[in-house]
Amino acid sequence: MIGLSFENKSNINILKEILKNVDLSSYKFYFTEEELYDRNHMDLTTFGLQDYKRNIEEFLEENYYIIFLVMQVYKKGEEQNRPNINTFLDFQNSNCSLILLISDSSDIEIYFKDNELKNQVINNLKRLNIEYEETTIENDTRTGMHVN
């Protein structure tokens, strides 16, 4: 299994729930595409999250509705010289541990190279009773690692 996909049918902060019980301090998070709805200000906006300087814990507590998002996760110390990840091959050849793609607010795909992250995400999905489909090299139809 190289990844998984599922549909978020609830109104929960899915990113926060996906990352629950992950040691966030061991990773660096980079957002390469995003469009969010700020529920506090009732505003559709992009925040330039690729330059997000606060820690990920603070971001996960914000009250955003994600329209689309691409998030790359690196183990701390392995994020230097981050390449542009445009394809699965780019992902495979990078130090990126996980790439998460959210489109249309609810369609979520996650690709893994870190077994610890993969196991924790799967445990979180099971805890939430979210059914997911495994992505393999054979059934992967994604042509690019982008959603916009």
Side-chain angles (χ1 to χ4, degrees), residues 3-80:
L4 57 85
S5 62
F6 63 95
E7 184 177 356
N8 179 27
K9 298 178 184 177
S10 68
N11 200 22
I12 63 172
N13 182 339
I14 193 64
L15 195 54
K16 180 179 180 179
E17 293 301 321
I18 288 171
L19 296 173
K20 191 174 228 103
N21 300 317
V22 170
D23 181 10
L24 301 176
S25 65
S26 297
Y27 298 93
K28 287 283 201 171
F29 297 80
Y30 296 92
F31 300 87
T32 59
E33 295 178 41
E34 93 286 329
E35 185 170 271
L36 310 171
Y37 184 80
D38 184 340
R39 294 180 189 188
N40 294 330
H41 298 100
M42 305 299 283
D43 189 22
L44 182 65
T45 186
T46 58
F47 289 94
L49 291 177
Q50 59 269 31
D51 298 319
Y52 193 75
K53 299 298 182 197
R54 294 182 292 173
N55 64 39
I56 190 71
E57 292 93 345
E58 289 178 33
F59 174 74
L60 294 176
E61 294 303 322
E62 298 289 344
N63 195 18
Y64 299 127
Y65 179 74
I66 298 170
I67 308 298
F68 65 83
L69 179 77
V70 176
M71 179 178 75
Q72 297 175 9
V73 180
Y74 294 81
K75 288 184 181 176
K76 281 194 176 169
E78 295 183 5
E79 73 276 9
Q80 301 88 355

Side-chain angles (χ1 to χ4, degrees), residues 1-5 122 132-136 139:
M1 175 172 70
I2 61 170
L4 57 85
S5 62
I122 289 171
Y132 60 89
E133 293 182 24
E134 292 185 1
T135 304
T136 65
N139 73 2

